[in-house]
Amino acid sequence: MLTYWMDVNDPFRAFDAVRRRMDQVFREYDQSAGPRARTSYPRASLRDTHEGFVLTAEVPGLADNDIQISATMDSLTIAGERKSVAPEGYAVHRQERGSLRFARSFALPAKIDVDKVSASVKNGVLTVTMPKHPESQPRAITVKAQ
């Protein structure tokens, strides 16, 4: 009997219910606002290979001339703009993906060789390959017995 009374009047249960409801409200807001409301657009992945780093980013609807990339030895910045202009003589009846301007920077965990950075876009996926600077690449060290 006492256990039932404690469960009903447990203040932490009420706080947990409020927290769950607030999480639901924010999830619904993020889904309805689209990618423009998110600060991390475009969605990207940064992988470390032995020789360098590879960044892939989702940029649907953008061509190679719509994207600007700048690199320093320890960071990479991607900027771009998607324009939604109807061709001449056509009218827009429904537009679900609007104009978008973005810029996103990535801090790199090691120095890169800026002169050898390359980028390509295919099927809405941007791939940036960044070779590591020679001083940042791991070296094999031989062990000598004495």
Side-chain angles (χ1 to χ4, degrees):
M1 211 42 112
L2 185 60
T3 305
Y4 177 73
W5 179 78
M6 294 287 285
D7 288 343
V8 171
N9 293 322
D10 186 11
F12 294 112
R13 181 174 291 181
F15 286 127
D16 191 45
V18 169
R19 182 192 53 80
R20 281 195 308 264
R21 178 64 183 136
M22 291 299 291
D23 287 344
Q24 180 182 358
V25 167
F26 286 124
R27 265 193 314 275
E28 289 171 359
Y29 175 76
D30 283 344
Q31 290 170 354
S32 68
R36 288 176 282 169
R38 298 183 187 113
T39 59
S40 60
Y41 183 86
R43 292 179 8 177
S45 297
L46 180 65
R47 295 186 321 265
D48 186 358
T49 64
H50 183 68
E51 295 83 23
F53 302 103
V54 177
L55 180 118
T56 54
E58 298 175 3
V59 289
L62 294 178
D64 55 351
N65 57 352
D66 297 329
I67 303 168
Q68 298 82 37
I69 299 173
S70 61
T72 64
M73 290 186 84
D74 57 356
S75 70
L76 179 81
T77 301
I78 299 173
E81 182 176 7
R82 180 177 61 214
K83 300 173 185 165
S84 60
V85 179
E88 189 174 328
Y90 289 86
V92 176
H93 293 283
R94 182 179 183 130
Q95 183 173 351
E96 294 183 358
R97 185 167 62 176
S99 299
L100 174 69
R101 180 177 284 169
F102 67 89
R104 187 164 180 203
S105 294
F106 301 90
L108 302 173
K111 291 183 180 181
I112 61 169
D113 191 351
V114 178
D115 296 329
K116 295 182 181 177
V117 173
S118 64
S120 64
V121 63
K122 183 178 179 182
N123 297 330
V125 177
L126 172 69
T127 303
V128 182
T129 305
M130 301 162 280
K132 289 182 183 175
H133 196 273
E135 71 182 32
S136 297
Q137 290 187 3
R139 291 183 217 132
I141 299 171
T142 58
V143 179
K144 298 178 185 175
Q146 292 183 356

